[in-house]
Amino acid sequence: MSGTSPALQPPADAVKPVRHPEAPAPGELLGAHYEHCFGCGGGQAHGLHLAARAGEGVSITAEFTVQPAHQGAPGLAHGGVLATALDETLGSLNWLLRTIAVTGRLETDFVRPVPVGTTLHLQAEVTAVAGRKIYSTATGRIGGPDGPVAVRADALFVEVKVDHFIDHGRKEEIQAAMSDPDQIRRARAFEVNP
């Protein structure tokens, strides 16, 4: 993205990202990391219900359809909802690295309006890694995966330990997630915080 702030420019010693050997296979649906996540969880009536799939390398594709509850101006998606879709998509990339990370910075360009009822086709990839910093980029297109760009973003994610969520999350939700008898669901609740 031209005009990206210096904070989103990888340093000279950044390395090319490496897909983790246990990452989901290309084409595999990632599913929700947490039932109550506004971006991907099925437990949010007005959430995005964003569906992401692993791509080649360290990339993913995702889709979400703009619902009436997502509008800002009459009949158009709210810019904050579109930024959330980009953030959720970018955050899902961390599953391919098998790294727990949180959004440190997100810069978004709104290129064209996205009407209610439109499916936003998102594509994201990790571009570089430098220590705990993960640099990534995403685009959202309307009318299909090759349609015109409606939104785009560059982001910086920062690797954290699971204690980040335990120390800062609301106690009731943390305890509920940690006591889930499903071991996989329990682990995934803390995998990523887009």
Side-chain angles (χ1 to χ4, degrees):
M1 188 161 77
S2 62
T4 300
S5 73
L8 292 176
Q9 298 293 330
D13 64 346
V15 297
K16 183 177 177 178
V18 177
R19 184 189 190 100
H20 193 279
E22 295 176 18
E28 186 176 330
L29 187 64
L30 299 180
H33 73 275
Y34 179 54
E35 175 73 8
H36 299 290
C37 173
F38 181 79
C40 65
Q44 290 288 344
H46 298 297
L48 304 185
H49 303 159
L50 189 130
R53 290 189 182 279
E56 297 293 331
V58 189
S59 71
I60 66 164
T61 59
E63 292 182 357
F64 101 95
T65 301
V66 179
Q67 301 298 318
H70 302 146
Q71 64 190 311
L76 297 174
H78 189 287
V81 168
L82 296 175
T84 300
L86 287 161
D87 186 44
E88 181 71 25
T89 303
L90 289 157
S92 295
L93 287 165
N94 297 312
W95 295 353
L96 303 180
L97 299 173
R98 300 289 289 214
T99 299
I100 300 171
V102 295
T103 310
R105 187 175 188 98
L106 176 71
E107 290 186 11
T108 306
D109 288 328
F110 301 96
V111 179
R112 62 179 26 98
V114 180
V116 169
T118 299
T119 297
L120 191 65
H121 301 268
L122 298 132
Q123 191 279 332
E125 68 178 326
V126 175
T127 57
V129 176
R132 293 177 47 223
K133 295 180 178 181
I134 301 165
Y135 298 85
S136 53
T137 188
T139 57
R141 297 173 181 272
I142 56 176
D146 297 319
V149 172
V151 293
R152 61 180 166 242
D154 286 324
L156 168 65
F157 280 77
V158 180
E159 183 178 354
V160 296
K161 303 291 183 206
V162 74
D163 294 353
H164 168 86
F165 303 100
I166 295 167
D167 293 345
H168 300 288
R170 198 166 70 163
K171 190 180 288 188
E172 296 82 19
E173 281 84 358
I174 297 296
Q175 288 174 344
M178 291 179 78
S179 62
D180 189 321
D182 184 315
Q183 183 178 1
I184 294 172
R185 210 170 39 224
R186 184 172 59 239
R188 289 199 66 194
F190 300 102
E191 261 185 350
V192 68
N193 181 31

